Amino acid sequence: MTRMTPDQVKAFIARDPLKGRKTKFRNIRCTARDGSTFGSVLEKDYYEQLVLLWYGGEVLWFTRQVPFWLEGGVKYVVDFMFATYDGGSTKMTFVDTTGVMTQVKKNKLKQLRARYGIEVQIVTRDMVRYSQ
């Protein structure tokens, strides 16, 4: 087994494994101002708005790409989960950004609601201001 040199490690980390691959819905993979990478412009724009709400104190904390396991070994990943302070209690909100609402996604959302009792807010293109 051969060890990688420091230059080879840097090159390996810097490579983009998804470069040149077409995505299922032809979304554009992009990077936010802080260097975080996203699967779509919509997801990046929602993230940047969420960061502003966090800096403003309206959002206590948030996390990205939260996995939930459904029946049959199916995994559903919610784009964002964040906490807000709501008059004495903390409120959890789950958000999924989508440009195309497929039947598969609808079915997974129904399973998620039935299994965990979670309502996921769906954010579409017209709900988020794009950074062109």
Side-chain angles (χ1 to χ4, degrees), residues 93-116:
T93 305
F94 300 89
V95 176
D96 201 14
T97 58
T98 184
V100 178
M101 185 59 127
T102 63
Q103 189 61 45
V104 171
K105 183 171 271 200
K106 289 178 186 177
N107 291 341
K108 286 183 178 182
L109 288 171
K110 286 179 187 176
Q111 285 182 327
L112 189 67
R113 191 177 316 115
R115 181 160 187 177
Y116 296 104

Side-chain angles (χ1 to χ4, degrees), residues 2-3 109 122:
T2 310
R3 290 184 175 242
L109 288 171
I122 301 298

Side-chain angles (χ1 to χ4, degrees), residues 58-61 82-93:
E58 293 182 43
V59 171
L60 298 174
W61 59 267
F82 61 91
T84 55
Y85 189 71
D86 187 23
S89 64
T90 303
K91 179 183 173 192
M92 297 302 300
T93 305

Side-chain angles (χ1 to χ4, degrees), residues 2-93:
T2 310
R3 290 184 175 242
M4 295 172 76
T5 66
D7 291 334
Q8 289 173 327
V9 171
K10 287 178 188 174
F12 179 78
I13 292 171
R15 74 180 172 80
D16 184 2
L18 301 174
K19 188 175 184 179
R21 287 181 53 194
K22 292 193 184 252
T23 60
K24 185 174 182 179
F25 296 108
R26 295 192 174 99
N27 52 342
I28 300 168
R29 299 192 190 285
C30 52
T31 306
R33 290 181 180 97
D34 64 0
S36 302
T37 57
F38 297 91
S40 70
V41 175
L42 176 63
E43 189 177 344
K44 174 194 71 93
D45 288 342
Y46 190 83
Y47 168 79
E48 289 180 343
Q49 288 184 6
L50 200 55
V51 168
L52 290 175
L53 292 172
W54 179 63
Y55 281 138
E58 293 182 43
V59 171
L60 298 174
W61 59 267
F62 67 91
T63 188
R64 298 175 41 211
Q65 303 299 313
V66 182
F68 290 95
W69 291 98
L70 306 173
E71 285 78 17
V74 176
K75 180 170 81 168
Y76 183 76
V77 180
V78 177
D79 289 334
F80 300 100
M81 178 177 74
F82 61 91
T84 55
Y85 189 71
D86 187 23
S89 64
T90 303
K91 179 183 173 192
M92 297 302 300
T93 305

